[in-house]
Amino acid sequence: QVQLVESGGGLVQTGGSLRLSCTVSGSTFSINNFGWYRQAPGKQRDLVAYISSIGSTNYADSVKGRFTISRDNAKNTAYLQMNSLKPEDTAIYLCNAVVERLDGTKASFWGQGTQVTVSS
């Protein structure tokens, strides 16, 4: 009933750009926080970017100045604009959202992930 769907991944050359999107559907009332994470094969999952309900953001040092997280509350969607991509950005990118339901309860949900591959 609550589902997150990511899109926008793909294969790009070094220096290229991609824009990822994460759309929440179902019984959502409001979305408190969005986070974009990434995980490369054999490595742990790391937080890439975060945006709060009031729009404050945080970024991993490795992507500062290159990535921008944003949200469109009317569309229940978060975005990750990725510029100046490097091979080390190659990973599965996953969206996480903390959702507040109509009854006031909160829960965290994950999307299925979208593959980003940056070639040298």
Side-chain angles (χ1 to χ4, degrees):
Q1 53 187 353
V2 174
Q3 185 177 9
L4 278 63
V5 178
E6 301 106 328
S7 62
L11 174 64
V12 297
Q13 299 179 76
T14 297
S17 297
L18 287 171
R19 191 190 193 199
L20 308 183
S21 63
C22 171
T23 299
V24 180
S25 62
S27 59
T28 300
F29 173 68
S30 64
I31 304 170
N32 290 340
N33 311 311
F34 278 108
W36 282 101
Y37 295 74
R38 68 186 181 188
Q39 187 169 20
K43 299 180 180 179
Q44 67 180 14
R45 186 174 299 177
D46 295 325
L47 178 66
V48 176
Y50 166 91
I51 186 166
S52 75
S53 60
I54 60 172
S56 61
T57 59
N58 284 291
Y59 298 92
D61 288 340
S62 59
V63 307
K64 285 181 179 177
R66 300 188 297 121
F67 290 12
T68 303
I69 187 170
S70 61
R71 62 190 292 164
D72 185 336
N73 292 332
K75 297 181 179 179
N76 293 133
T77 299
Y79 304 94
L80 186 68
Q81 178 66 48
M82 306 186 295
N83 299 325
S84 302
L85 283 162
K86 306 173 181 179
E88 50 263 46
D89 296 318
T90 295
I92 296 174
Y93 284 71
L94 304 104
C95 181
N96 176 266
V98 177
V99 175
E100 183 173 350
R101 303 184 181 98
L102 289 172
D103 63 3
T105 60
K106 299 180 178 67
S108 177
F109 296 91
W110 289 92
Q112 81 289 346
T114 185
Q115 178 70 45
V116 171
T117 303
V118 185
S119 65
S120 59

